[in-house]
Amino acid sequence: MSLAEHPLDALESALQAERRALLEHDVDALLRSTQAKLEALSAAERVAGGADMARVGELHELNRANAVLLARRRREVAWTLRHLGRTEANGTYDGSGYANARAQSRWLGSG
């Protein structure tokens, strides 16, 4: 994030990068954009005021759309793993939105 960039601009850029990474199946870009999103969100929480609420609402919707894409990708991976006879682990997110993998895997294959 540049010094002149408003935190909400940085958040929007990170959300757009996250969306591109999800659509392009680019794991490395997804990890980078997620980190950028968390940093921008932290900065935005410090400076966002009442005048920014409409924009915050728009960014919330963009983040929500990305969450739908991410859930779809997760289902695709789980389906693929099931059909390959691999184990499947359930991942969860804690209250602050960070991944917290639960060690609950099960054998899906036979033989």
Side-chain angles (χ1 to χ4, degrees):
M1 181 173 76
S2 71
L3 293 176
E5 189 175 25
H6 190 279
L8 291 179
D9 294 334
L11 181 56
E12 183 174 8
S13 295
L15 287 168
Q16 293 294 350
E18 181 181 59
R19 183 168 189 78
R20 277 190 307 279
L22 287 165
L23 292 171
E24 296 170 2
H25 302 269
D26 187 340
V27 175
D28 292 328
L30 181 60
L31 293 173
R32 285 189 307 273
S33 64
T34 299
Q35 182 62 38
K37 179 176 73 170
L38 292 173
E39 291 170 4
L41 183 58
S42 178
E45 287 174 341
R46 289 190 299 270
V47 300
D52 295 322
M53 291 313 294
R55 180 122 187 255
V56 169
E58 292 169 5
L59 295 176
H60 171 76
E61 289 304 316
L62 180 56
N63 190 52
R64 190 80 186 110
N66 286 354
V68 170
L69 280 175
L70 186 58
R72 183 181 305 149
R73 296 292 179 251
R74 187 177 180 284
R75 285 190 303 272
E76 291 169 357
V77 168
W79 183 90
T80 302
L81 288 174
R82 256 193 324 277
H83 285 78
L84 290 173
R86 304 289 186 211
T87 59
E88 180 181 37
N90 292 328
T92 61
Y93 288 91
D94 63 17
S96 39
Y98 290 98
N100 180 16
R102 214 181 292 168
Q104 293 181 337
S105 58
R106 58 189 172 103
W107 175 252
L108 297 173
S110 61

